[in-house]
Each structure stands twice: as C-alpha cells, then as structure tokens.
C-alpha cells in the first residue's frame, strides 16, 4: 500500500498538466513525474518489477481521486 502520497504541479501555470509525486511503498521513498497522458516516469529508484504494475495502478487511482475529482 502507498503511504504519505504527495503531489504538486510541475509548472507554475497550473493550467499545464503534470505533477511531481512522492510516496512511500514498502518502507522505501519514491519520486516520479505524472504526466497528463497518465504516463509515470520515476526519478531515481523505482519499485521492483513485480510490484511496478500494482504501484502504477494505485498511483492512477490516487491521482483520479485527488486531481481529477
């Protein structure tokens, strides 16, 4: 489960979509860019390959809830 999910716009002009996200997963901190097309680009470390699809699904759900609500 993702914990301490945080996001902020990538651009000062908030009309331009794109967000910097950070969160903890399995006691490891991760950072990524979330783009308007739903693509996620991890900055630095990324979750293990077997967890990646699960983490991306959780990120999409959180972004839908927080940003696109």
């Amino acid at each position: 489960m993702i914990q301490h999910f945080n996001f902020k716009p990538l651009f000062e002009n908030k009309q331009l979509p794109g967000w910097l996200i950070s969160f903890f997963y399995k006691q490891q901190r991760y950072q990524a860019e979330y783009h308007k097309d739903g693509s996620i680009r991890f900055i630095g470390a990324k979750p293990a390959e077997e967890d990646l699809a699960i983490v991306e699904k959780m990120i999409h759900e959180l972004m839908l809830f927080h940003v696109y609500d």
Side-chain angles (χ1 to χ4, degrees):
M1 170 182 258
I2 287 179
Q3 297 178 334
H4 304 289
F5 183 77
N6 200 357
F7 65 95
K8 65 180 183 178
L10 281 175
F11 308 103
E12 280 188 33
N13 176 358
K14 295 182 183 193
Q15 301 287 37
L16 296 172
W19 298 267
L20 178 63
I21 61 173
S22 62
F23 58 92
F24 283 85
Y25 180 74
K26 292 187 175 179
Q27 302 171 347
Q28 173 74 36
R29 185 173 189 272
Y30 296 99
Q31 282 190 307
E33 290 179 355
Y34 187 92
H35 298 279
K36 68 178 181 178
D37 63 359
S39 63
I40 300 168
R41 186 179 70 84
F42 283 91
I43 301 167
K46 69 181 196 179
E49 200 63 39
E50 61 269 10
D51 293 331
L52 193 56
I54 295 166
V55 170
E56 288 180 346
K57 183 178 186 296
M58 288 189 280
I59 290 170
H60 290 306
E61 290 172 357
L62 287 164
M63 290 301 286
L64 281 172
F65 180 76
H66 289 292
V67 176
Y68 294 109
D69 188 30

